[in-house]
Amino acid sequence: MTAQVHDTLIDQAYRASLVTPFSEIVAYLQGLLSRRLTAVIAGVKDGKTVARWAAGETADVRGPEKEQRLRTAYQIAYMLLQSSDSPQTVKA
């Protein structure tokens, strides 16, 4: 991968993490990684919270730190998947 392609991929992943609605990010991570691992990344104890976020049912418990953690995880997963890593590799 050339440096220019690498920089473009980083920019794309960053933009995607900013413009993608929170519920879509959570649903994506939940599907890719599991509800439990997504909860761990967010720093919440209950996987049900993750399911409610993914469904767009509630945003009141998310807080800026939790949201940033999930957006960063989404950005990393996006970059790994775009660089030809398999979903199983990303989960590992």
Side-chain angles (χ1 to χ4, degrees):
M1 183 180 301
T2 67
Q4 186 176 22
V5 171
H6 183 261
D7 289 344
T8 301
L9 180 57
I10 291 171
D11 291 341
Q12 288 173 351
Y14 178 71
R15 278 193 301 278
S17 73
L18 293 178
V19 301
T20 304
F22 182 71
S23 61
E24 289 180 31
I25 285 175
V26 177
Y28 180 82
L29 291 172
Q30 179 179 251
L32 178 66
L33 304 174
S34 80
R35 182 184 300 174
R36 180 69 189 129
L37 186 52
T38 303
V40 169
I41 291 168
V44 296
K45 294 180 182 179
D46 189 4
K48 292 178 185 177
T49 300
V50 170
R52 287 193 301 269
W53 288 340
E57 292 176 8
T58 184
D60 59 335
V61 292
R62 72 178 197 218
E65 183 179 313
K66 291 172 178 48
E67 183 171 350
Q68 184 58 47
R69 287 178 180 196
L70 293 170
R71 288 188 181 277
T72 300
Y74 178 82
Q75 183 179 355
I76 293 166
Y78 183 101
M79 287 188 300
L80 291 172
L81 289 170
Q82 294 301 313
S83 65
S84 301
D85 284 340
S86 70
Q88 294 82 7
T89 301
V90 173
K91 184 175 181 177

Coordinates of all heavy atoms in Angstrom, one line a residue:
M1 N 0.8 -1.2 0.0 CA 0.0 0.0 0.0 C 0.9 1.2 0.0 O 1.8 1.4 0.8 CB -0.9 0.0 1.2 CG -1.9 1.1 1.3 SD -2.9 1.1 2.8 CE -3.8 -0.4 2.6
T2 N 0.7 2.1 -0.9 CA 1.5 3.3 -1.0 C 1.1 4.3 0.1 O 0.0 4.2 0.6 CB 1.3 4.0 -2.4 OG1 0.0 4.5 -2.5 CG2 1.6 3.1 -3.5
A3 N 1.9 5.3 0.4 CA 1.7 6.2 1.4 C 0.4 7.1 1.1 O -0.4 7.4 1.9 CB 2.9 7.1 1.6
Q4 N 0.3 7.4 -0.2 CA -0.9 8.2 -0.6 C -2.2 7.5 -0.4 O -3.1 8.0 0.0 CB -0.7 8.7 -2.1 CG -1.8 9.6 -2.5 CD -1.6 10.1 -4.0 OE1 -0.9 9.5 -4.7 NE2 -2.2 11.2 -4.3
V5 N -2.2 6.2 -0.8 CA -3.4 5.4 -0.6 C -3.7 5.2 0.9 O -4.8 5.3 1.3 CB -3.2 4.0 -1.3 CG1 -4.4 3.1 -0.9 CG2 -3.1 4.1 -2.8
H6 N -2.6 5.0 1.6 CA -2.8 4.9 3.1 C -3.4 6.2 3.7 O -4.3 6.1 4.5 CB -1.4 4.6 3.7 CG -1.5 4.4 5.2 ND1 -1.2 5.4 6.1 CD2 -1.8 3.3 5.9 CE1 -1.3 4.9 7.3 NE2 -1.7 3.6 7.2
D7 N -2.9 7.4 3.3 CA -3.4 8.6 3.8 C -4.9 8.8 3.4 O -5.7 9.3 4.2 CB -2.6 9.8 3.3 CG -1.2 9.9 4.0 OD1 -1.0 9.2 5.0 OD2 -0.4 10.6 3.4
T8 N -5.2 8.4 2.2 CA -6.6 8.5 1.7 C -7.5 7.6 2.5 O -8.6 8.0 2.9 CB -6.7 8.2 0.2 OG1 -5.8 9.1 -0.5 CG2 -8.1 8.3 -0.3
L9 N -7.1 6.4 2.8 CA -7.9 5.5 3.6 C -8.1 6.0 5.0 O -9.2 5.9 5.5 CB -7.2 4.1 3.6 CG -7.9 3.0 4.4 CD1 -9.3 2.8 3.9 CD2 -7.0 1.8 4.4
I10 N -7.1 6.6 5.6 CA -7.2 7.2 6.9 C -8.2 8.3 6.9 O -9.1 8.4 7.8 CB -5.8 7.7 7.4 CG1 -4.9 6.5 7.7 CG2 -6.0 8.6 8.7 CD1 -3.5 6.9 8.1
D11 N -8.1 9.2 5.9 CA -9.1 10.3 5.7 C -10.5 9.8 5.5 O -11.4 10.3 6.1 CB -8.7 11.2 4.6 CG -7.4 12.0 4.8 OD1 -7.0 12.1 6.0 OD2 -6.8 12.5 3.8
Q12 N -10.7 8.8 4.7 CA -12.0 8.2 4.5 C -12.6 7.6 5.7 O -13.8 7.8 6.1 CB -12.0 7.1 3.4 CG -11.7 7.6 2.0 CD -11.5 6.5 1.0 OE1 -11.4 5.3 1.4 NE2 -11.5 6.8 -0.3
A13 N -11.8 6.9 6.5 CA -12.2 6.3 7.7 C -12.6 7.4 8.7 O -13.6 7.2 9.4 CB -11.2 5.4 8.3
Y14 N -11.8 8.4 8.8 CA -12.1 9.5 9.8 C -13.4 10.2 9.4 O -14.3 10.4 10.3 CB -10.9 10.5 9.8 CG -11.2 11.7 10.7 CD1 -11.2 11.5 12.0 CD2 -11.4 12.9 10.1 CE1 -11.4 12.6 12.9 CE2 -11.6 14.0 11.0 CZ -11.6 13.8 12.3 OH -11.9 14.9 13.2
R15 N -13.6 10.5 8.1 CA -14.8 11.2 7.7 C -16.0 10.3 8.0 O -17.1 10.7 8.4 CB -14.7 11.6 6.2 CG -14.0 12.9 6.0 CD -14.2 13.4 4.6 NE -13.8 12.5 3.6 CZ -12.5 12.4 3.2 NH1 -11.6 13.1 3.7 NH2 -12.1 11.5 2.2
A16 N -15.9 9.0 7.6 CA -17.0 8.1 7.9 C -17.4 8.0 9.3 O -18.5 7.9 9.7 CB -16.6 6.7 7.3
S17 N -16.4 8.0 10.2 CA -16.6 8.0 11.6 C -17.3 9.2 12.2 O -18.0 9.2 13.2 CB -15.4 7.7 12.4 OG -14.5 8.9 12.5
L18 N -17.2 10.3 11.5 CA -17.8 11.6 11.9 C -19.2 11.7 11.3 O -20.1 12.2 12.0 CB -17.0 12.8 11.4 CG -15.6 13.0 12.0 CD1 -15.0 14.2 11.3 CD2 -15.7 13.2 13.5
V19 N -19.5 11.3 10.1 CA -20.8 11.5 9.5 C -21.8 10.4 9.7 O -23.0 10.6 9.5 CB -20.6 11.9 8.0 CG1 -19.8 13.1 7.8 CG2 -20.1 10.7 7.2
T20 N -21.3 9.2 10.0 CA -22.2 8.1 10.2 C -23.0 8.3 11.5 O -22.4 8.5 12.5 CB -21.4 6.7 10.2 OG1 -20.7 6.6 9.0 CG2 -22.4 5.6 10.3
P21 N -24.3 8.1 11.4 CA -25.1 8.3 12.6 C -24.7 7.3 13.7 O -24.3 6.1 13.4 CB -26.6 8.0 12.2 CG -26.5 8.3 10.7 CD -25.2 7.9 10.2
F22 N -24.8 7.7 15.0 CA -24.3 6.9 16.1 C -25.0 5.6 16.1 O -24.3 4.5 16.3 CB -24.6 7.7 17.4 CG -24.2 7.0 18.6 CD1 -22.8 6.9 18.9 CD2 -25.1 6.4 19.5 CE1 -22.4 6.2 20.1 CE2 -24.7 5.7 20.6 CZ -23.3 5.6 20.9
S23 N -26.3 5.5 15.9 CA -27.0 4.2 15.9 C -26.4 3.3 14.8 O -26.3 2.1 15.1 CB -28.5 4.4 15.7 OG -28.8 5.0 14.5
E24 N -26.1 3.8 13.7 CA -25.5 2.9 12.6 C -24.1 2.4 13.0 O -23.8 1.3 12.7 CB -25.4 3.7 11.3 CG -26.8 3.9 10.7 CD -26.7 4.7 9.3 OE1 -25.7 4.5 8.6 OE2 -27.6 5.4 9.0
I25 N -23.3 3.3 13.7 CA -22.0 2.9 14.1 C -22.1 1.7 15.1 O -21.5 0.7 15.0 CB -21.2 4.1 14.7 CG1 -20.8 5.0 13.5 CG2 -20.1 3.6 15.6 CD1 -20.1 6.2 14.0
V26 N -23.0 1.9 16.1 CA -23.2 0.9 17.1 C -23.7 -0.4 16.5 O -23.2 -1.5 16.8 CB -24.1 1.4 18.2 CG1 -24.4 0.3 19.3 CG2 -23.6 2.6 18.9
A27 N -24.7 -0.3 15.6 CA -25.2 -1.5 15.0 C -24.1 -2.2 14.2 O -24.0 -3.5 14.2 CB -26.4 -1.2 14.1
Y28 N -23.3 -1.5 13.5 CA -22.2 -2.1 12.7 C -21.2 -2.8 13.6 O -20.9 -3.9 13.3 CB -21.5 -1.0 11.9 CG -20.4 -1.5 11.1 CD1 -20.6 -2.0 9.8 CD2 -19.1 -1.3 11.5 CE1 -19.6 -2.5 9.0 CE2 -18.0 -1.8 10.8 CZ -18.3 -2.4 9.5 OH -17.2 -2.8 8.8
L29 N -20.8 -2.1 14.7 CA -19.8 -2.8 15.6 C -20.4 -4.0 16.3 O -19.8 -5.0 16.4 CB -19.4 -1.7 16.6 CG -18.5 -0.6 16.0 CD1 -18.2 0.4 17.1 CD2 -17.2 -1.2 15.5
Q30 N -21.7 -3.9 16.7 CA -22.4 -5.0 17.3 C -22.4 -6.2 16.4 O -22.2 -7.3 16.8 CB -23.8 -4.6 17.7 CG -24.6 -5.6 18.3 CD -26.0 -5.1 18.7 OE1 -26.3 -4.9 19.9 NE2 -26.9 -4.9 17.7
G31 N -22.7 -6.0 15.1 CA -22.7 -7.0 14.1 C -21.3 -7.6 13.8 O -21.2 -8.8 13.6
L32 N -20.3 -6.7 13.8 CA -19.0 -7.2 13.5 C -18.3 -7.8 14.7 O -17.6 -8.9 14.5 CB -18.1 -6.0 13.0 CG -16.7 -6.2 12.7 CD1 -16.6 -7.1 11.4 CD2 -15.9 -4.9 12.4
L33 N -18.4 -7.2 15.8 CA -17.6 -7.6 17.0 C -18.4 -8.4 18.0 O -17.8 -9.2 18.7 CB -17.0 -6.4 17.6 CG -16.1 -5.5 16.8 CD1 -15.7 -4.2 17.5 CD2 -14.9 -6.2 16.2
S34 N -19.6 -8.2 18.2 CA -20.6 -8.7 19.2 C -21.1 -7.6 20.1 O -20.4 -6.6 20.2 CB -19.9 -9.9 20.0 OG -19.2 -9.3 21.1
R35 N -22.2 -7.9 20.6 CA -22.8 -6.9 21.5 C -21.9 -6.7 22.8 O -21.7 -5.6 23.2 CB -24.2 -7.3 21.9 CG -24.9 -6.3 22.8 CD -26.2 -6.8 23.3 NE -27.1 -7.0 22.2 CZ -28.3 -7.6 22.3 NH1 -28.8 -7.9 23.5 NH2 -29.0 -7.8 21.2
R36 N -21.4 -7.8 23.3 CA -20.6 -7.7 24.5 C -19.3 -6.9 24.3 O -19.0 -6.1 25.1 CB -20.3 -9.1 25.0 CG -19.5 -9.2 26.3 CD -20.3 -8.6 27.5 NE -19.4 -8.5 28.6 CZ -19.3 -7.4 29.3 NH1 -20.1 -6.3 29.1 NH2 -18.5 -7.3 30.3
L37 N -18.6 -7.2 23.2 CA -17.4 -6.5 23.0 C -17.6 -5.1 22.7 O -16.8 -4.2 23.1 CB -16.6 -7.2 21.8 CG -15.2 -6.7 21.5 CD1 -14.3 -6.6 22.7 CD2 -14.6 -7.5 20.4
T38 N -18.7 -4.7 22.0 CA -19.0 -3.3 21.8 C -19.3 -2.6 23.1 O -18.9 -1.5 23.3 CB -20.3 -3.3 20.8 OG1 -19.9 -3.9 19.6 CG2 -20.6 -1.8 20.5
A39 N -20.0 -3.3 24.0 CA -20.2 -2.7 25.3 C -18.9 -2.5 26.1 O -18.8 -1.4 26.7 CB -21.1 -3.7 26.2
V40 N -18.0 -3.4 26.0 CA -16.7 -3.2 26.6 C -16.0 -2.0 26.0 O -15.4 -1.2 26.8 CB -15.8 -4.5 26.5 CG1 -14.4 -4.3 26.9 CG2 -16.5 -5.7 27.3
I41 N -16.0 -1.9 24.7 CA -15.3 -0.8 24.1 C -15.9 0.5 24.6 O -15.2 1.5 24.8 CB -15.4 -0.9 22.5 CG1 -14.5 -2.0 22.1 CG2 -15.0 0.4 21.9 CD1 -14.8 -2.4 20.6
A42 N -17.3 0.6 24.7 CA -18.0 1.8 25.1 C -17.8 2.1 26.5 O -18.0 3.2 27.0 CB -19.5 1.7 24.8
G43 N -17.5 1.1 27.3 CA -17.3 1.2 28.8 C -18.6 1.2 29.5 O -18.8 1.8 30.5
V44 N -19.6 0.4 29.0 CA -20.8 0.1 29.6 C -20.9 -1.3 30.1 O -20.3 -2.2 29.5 CB -22.1 0.5 28.8 CG1 -22.1 2.0 28.4 CG2 -22.1 -0.3 27.5
K45 N -21.7 -1.6 31.1 CA -21.7 -2.9 31.7 C -22.8 -3.8 31.0 O -22.7 -5.0 31.0 CB -22.1 -2.8 33.2 CG -20.9 -2.2 34.0 CD -21.3 -2.1 35.5 CE -20.2 -1.4 36.2 NZ -20.5 -1.3 37.6
D46 N -23.8 -3.2 30.5 CA -24.9 -3.9 30.0 C -25.0 -3.9 28.4 O -25.1 -2.8 27.8 CB -26.2 -3.3 30.5 CG -27.5 -4.1 30.3 OD1 -27.4 -5.2 29.7 OD2 -28.5 -3.6 30.7
G47 N -25.0 -5.1 27.9 CA -25.1 -5.2 26.4 C -26.5 -4.7 25.9 O -26.6 -4.3 24.7
K48 N -27.5 -4.7 26.8 CA -28.8 -4.1 26.4 C -28.7 -2.7 26.0 O -29.4 -2.2 25.2 CB -29.8 -4.4 27.5 CG -30.1 -5.8 27.8 CD -31.1 -6.0 28.9 CE -31.3 -7.5 29.2 NZ -32.2 -7.6 30.3
T49 N -27.8 -1.9 26.7 CA -27.6 -0.5 26.3 C -27.1 -0.4 24.9 O -27.6 0.4 24.1 CB -26.6 0.1 27.3 OG1 -27.1 0.0 28.6 CG2 -26.3 1.6 26.9
V50 N -26.2 -1.3 24.5 CA -25.7 -1.3 23.1 C -26.9 -1.6 22.2 O -27.0 -0.9 21.1 CB -24.6 -2.3 23.0 CG1 -24.2 -2.5 21.5 CG2 -23.4 -1.9 23.8
A51 N -27.7 -2.5 22.5 CA -28.8 -2.9 21.6 C -29.8 -1.7 21.5 O -30.3 -1.4 20.4 CB -29.6 -4.1 22.2
R52 N -30.0 -1.0 22.6 CA -30.9 0.2 22.5 C -30.3 1.3 21.7 O -31.0 2.0 20.9 CB -31.2 0.7 23.9 CG -32.2 -0.2 24.6 CD -32.8 0.4 25.9 NE -31.7 0.8 26.8 CZ -31.3 0.0 27.8 NH1 -31.8 -1.2 28.0 NH2 -30.4 0.5 28.7
W53 N -29.0 1.5 21.8 CA -28.3 2.5 21.0 C -28.4 2.1 19.5 O -28.7 3.0 18.6 CB -26.8 2.6 21.3 CG -26.5 3.3 22.6 CD1 -27.3 4.1 23.3 CD2 -25.3 3.2 23.4 NE1 -26.7 4.6 24.5 CE2 -25.4 4.0 24.5 CE3 -24.1 2.5 23.2 CZ2 -24.4 4.1 25.5 CZ3 -23.1 2.6 24.1 CH2 -23.3 3.4 25.3
A54 N -28.1 0.9 19.2 CA -28.2 0.4 17.8 C -29.6 0.6 17.2 O -29.7 0.9 16.0 CB -27.7 -1.1 17.7
A55 N -30.6 0.4 18.0 CA -31.9 0.5 17.5 C -32.4 2.0 17.5 O -33.5 2.3 17.0 CB -32.9 -0.3 18.4
G56 N -31.6 2.9 18.0 CA -31.9 4.3 18.0 C -32.9 4.6 19.0 O -33.6 5.7 19.0
E57 N -33.1 3.7 20.0 CA -34.1 3.9 21.0 C -33.7 5.0 22.1 O -34.6 5.6 22.6 CB -34.4 2.6 21.7 CG -35.1 1.6 20.8 CD -35.3 0.3 21.5 OE1 -35.1 0.1 22.7 OE2 -35.7 -0.7 20.8
T58 N -32.5 5.1 22.4 CA -32.1 6.0 23.4 C -30.7 6.5 23.1 O -29.8 5.8 22.6 CB -32.1 5.3 24.8 OG1 -31.7 6.3 25.8 CG2 -31.1 4.1 24.9
A59 N -30.5 7.7 23.5 CA -29.1 8.4 23.4 C -28.8 9.0 24.8 O -27.7 9.5 24.9 CB -29.1 9.4 22.3
D60 N -29.6 8.9 25.7 CA -29.4 9.6 27.0 C -28.3 9.1 27.8 O -27.8 9.8 28.6 CB -30.7 9.7 27.8 CG -31.2 8.3 28.1 OD1 -30.9 7.3 27.4 OD2 -32.0 8.2 29.1
V61 N -27.8 7.9 27.7 CA -26.8 7.4 28.5 C -25.4 7.3 27.8 O -24.5 6.8 28.3 CB -27.1 5.9 29.0 CG1 -28.2 6.0 30.0 CG2 -27.4 5.0 27.9
R62 N -25.4 7.9 26.6 CA -24.2 7.6 25.8 C -23.0 8.5 26.2 O -21.9 8.1 26.1 CB -24.5 7.6 24.3 CG -24.8 8.9 23.7 CD -25.0 8.7 22.2 NE -24.9 9.9 21.5 CZ -25.6 10.1 20.4 NH1 -26.5 9.3 20.0 NH2 -25.5 11.3 19.8
G63 N -23.2 9.8 26.5 CA -22.1 10.6 26.9 C -21.0 10.7 25.8 O -20.8 9.8 25.0
P64 N -20.2 11.8 25.8 CA -19.2 12.1 24.8 C -18.1 11.1 24.8 O -17.6 10.7 23.7 CB -18.7 13.5 25.1 CG -19.2 13.8 26.5 CD -20.3 12.9 26.8
E65 N -17.6 10.6 26.0 CA -16.5 9.7 26.0 C -16.9 8.3 25.4 O -16.2 7.7 24.6 CB -16.0 9.4 27.4 CG -14.8 8.5 27.5 CD -14.3 8.4 28.9 OE1 -14.2 9.4 29.6 OE2 -14.1 7.2 29.2
K66 N -18.1 7.8 25.7 CA -18.6 6.6 25.2 C -18.8 6.7 23.7 O -18.4 5.8 22.9 CB -19.9 6.2 25.9 CG -19.7 5.8 27.3 CD -21.0 5.6 28.0 CE -20.9 5.1 29.4 NZ -20.1 5.8 30.3
E67 N -19.3 7.8 23.2 CA -19.5 7.9 21.8 C -18.2 8.0 21.1 O -18.0 7.4 20.0 CB -20.3 9.2 21.5 CG -20.6 9.4 20.0 CD -21.6 10.5 19.7 OE1 -22.3 11.0 20.6 OE2 -21.8 10.8 18.5
Q68 N -17.2 8.7 21.6 CA -15.9 8.8 21.0 C -15.2 7.5 20.9 O -14.6 7.1 19.9 CB -15.0 9.8 21.7 CG -13.7 10.1 21.0 CD -13.8 10.6 19.6 OE1 -14.6 11.5 19.3 NE2 -13.1 10.0 18.7
R69 N -15.3 6.7 21.9 CA -14.7 5.3 21.9 C -15.3 4.5 20.8 O -14.6 3.8 20.0 CB -15.0 4.6 23.2 CG -14.2 5.1 24.4 CD -14.6 4.3 25.6 NE -13.9 4.7 26.7 CZ -13.8 4.1 27.9 NH1 -14.4 2.9 28.0 NH2 -13.1 4.5 28.9
L70 N -16.6 4.6 20.6 CA -17.3 3.8 19.5 C -17.0 4.3 18.2 O -16.8 3.5 17.2 CB -18.8 3.7 19.8 CG -19.1 2.9 21.0 CD1 -20.6 3.0 21.4 CD2 -18.8 1.4 20.9
R71 N -16.9 5.6 18.0 CA -16.6 6.2 16.7 C -15.1 5.8 16.3 O -14.8 5.6 15.2 CB -16.8 7.7 16.7 CG -18.3 8.1 16.7 CD -18.5 9.5 16.5 NE -20.0 9.8 16.5 CZ -20.8 9.6 15.4 NH1 -20.3 9.2 14.3 NH2 -22.1 9.9 15.5
T72 N -14.2 5.8 17.3 CA -12.8 5.5 17.0 C -12.8 4.0 16.7 O -12.0 3.6 15.7 CB -12.0 5.8 18.3 OG1 -12.0 7.2 18.5 CG2 -10.5 5.4 18.0
A73 N -13.5 3.1 17.4 CA -13.5 1.7 17.0 C -14.0 1.5 15.6 O -13.5 0.7 14.8 CB -14.3 0.9 18.0
Y74 N -15.1 2.3 15.2 CA -15.6 2.2 13.9 C -14.6 2.6 12.9 O -14.4 2.0 11.8 CB -16.8 3.1 13.8 CG -17.5 3.1 12.5 CD1 -18.4 2.1 12.1 CD2 -17.2 4.2 11.6 CE1 -19.0 2.2 10.8 CE2 -17.9 4.2 10.3 CZ -18.7 3.2 10.0 OH -19.3 3.3 8.7
Q75 N -13.8 3.7 13.2 CA -12.8 4.2 12.3 C -11.7 3.1 12.0 O -11.3 2.8 10.9 CB -12.2 5.4 12.8 CG -11.2 6.1 12.0 CD -10.6 7.4 12.6 OE1 -11.1 7.8 13.6 NE2 -9.6 7.9 12.0
I76 N -11.3 2.4 13.1 CA -10.3 1.4 13.0 C -10.8 0.2 12.2 O -10.1 -0.3 11.3 CB -9.8 1.0 14.4 CG1 -9.1 2.1 15.1 CG2 -9.0 -0.3 14.3 CD1 -8.9 2.0 16.6
A77 N -12.0 -0.2 12.5 CA -12.6 -1.4 11.8 C -12.8 -1.0 10.3 O -12.5 -1.8 9.4 CB -14.0 -1.7 12.4
Y78 N -13.2 0.2 10.0 CA -13.3 0.6 8.6 C -12.0 0.5 7.9 O -11.9 0.0 6.8 CB -13.8 2.1 8.6 CG -14.1 2.7 7.3 CD1 -15.4 2.8 6.8 CD2 -13.1 3.2 6.5 CE1 -15.6 3.3 5.5 CE2 -13.3 3.8 5.2 CZ -14.6 3.8 4.8 OH -14.8 4.4 3.5
M79 N -10.9 1.0 8.5 CA -9.6 1.0 7.9 C -9.1 -0.4 7.6 O -8.6 -0.8 6.6 CB -8.6 1.8 8.7 CG -8.8 3.3 8.6 SD -7.4 4.2 9.4 CE -7.5 3.6 11.1
L80 N -9.3 -1.3 8.7 CA -8.9 -2.6 8.5 C -9.6 -3.4 7.4 O -9.1 -4.1 6.6 CB -9.0 -3.4 9.9 CG -8.0 -2.9 11.0 CD1 -8.4 -3.6 12.3 CD2 -6.6 -3.2 10.6
L81 N -10.9 -3.2 7.4 CA -11.7 -3.9 6.4 C -11.5 -3.4 5.0 O -11.5 -4.2 4.0 CB -13.2 -3.8 6.7 CG -13.7 -4.6 7.9 CD1 -15.1 -4.2 8.3 CD2 -13.6 -6.1 7.7
Q82 N -11.2 -2.1 4.8 CA -10.9 -1.5 3.5 C -9.5 -1.9 3.0 O -9.2 -1.9 1.8 CB -11.0 0.0 3.6 CG -12.4 0.5 3.8 CD -13.4 0.1 2.8 OE1 -13.1 0.1 1.6 NE2 -14.5 -0.4 3.2
S83 N -8.6 -2.3 4.0 CA -7.3 -2.7 3.6 C -7.2 -4.2 3.4 O -6.2 -4.8 3.5 CB -6.3 -2.2 4.6 OG -6.5 -2.9 5.8
S84 N -8.4 -4.9 3.1 CA -8.5 -6.3 2.8 C -8.4 -7.3 3.9 O -8.2 -8.4 3.7 CB -7.5 -6.7 1.7 OG -7.7 -5.9 0.6
D85 N -8.5 -6.8 5.2 CA -8.6 -7.7 6.3 C -10.0 -8.3 6.3 O -10.9 -7.6 6.0 CB -8.2 -7.1 7.6 CG -6.7 -6.8 7.8 OD1 -5.9 -7.5 7.1 OD2 -6.4 -6.0 8.6
S86 N -10.1 -9.6 6.7 CA -11.4 -10.2 6.8 C -12.1 -9.8 8.1 O -11.4 -9.3 9.1 CB -11.2 -11.7 6.8 OG -10.7 -12.1 8.1
P87 N -13.4 -9.9 8.2 CA -14.1 -9.5 9.4 C -13.6 -10.4 10.6 O -13.5 -9.9 11.7 CB -15.6 -9.9 9.1 CG -15.7 -9.7 7.6 CD -14.3 -10.1 7.1
Q88 N -13.2 -11.6 10.4 CA -12.7 -12.5 11.4 C -11.4 -11.9 12.0 O -11.2 -11.9 13.2 CB -12.5 -13.9 11.0 CG -13.8 -14.6 10.6 CD -14.3 -14.3 9.2 OE1 -13.6 -13.6 8.4 NE2 -15.5 -14.7 8.9
T89 N -10.6 -11.4 11.1 CA -9.3 -10.8 11.5 C -9.5 -9.5 12.3 O -8.9 -9.3 13.3 CB -8.4 -10.5 10.3 OG1 -8.2 -11.7 9.6 CG2 -7.1 -9.9 10.7
V90 N -10.5 -8.7 11.9 CA -10.8 -7.5 12.6 C -11.3 -7.8 14.0 O -10.9 -7.2 14.9 CB -11.8 -6.6 11.8 CG1 -12.3 -5.4 12.6 CG2 -11.2 -6.2 10.4
K91 N -12.2 -8.8 14.1 CA -12.7 -9.1 15.4 C -11.6 -9.6 16.3 O -11.6 -9.3 17.5 CB -13.8 -10.2 15.2 CG -14.4 -10.6 16.6 CD -15.6 -11.5 16.4 CE -16.2 -11.8 17.7 NZ -17.4 -12.7 17.6
A92 N -10.7 -10.4 15.8 CA -9.6 -10.9 16.6 C -8.7 -9.8 17.1 O -8.2 -9.8 18.2 CB -8.7 -11.9 15.8

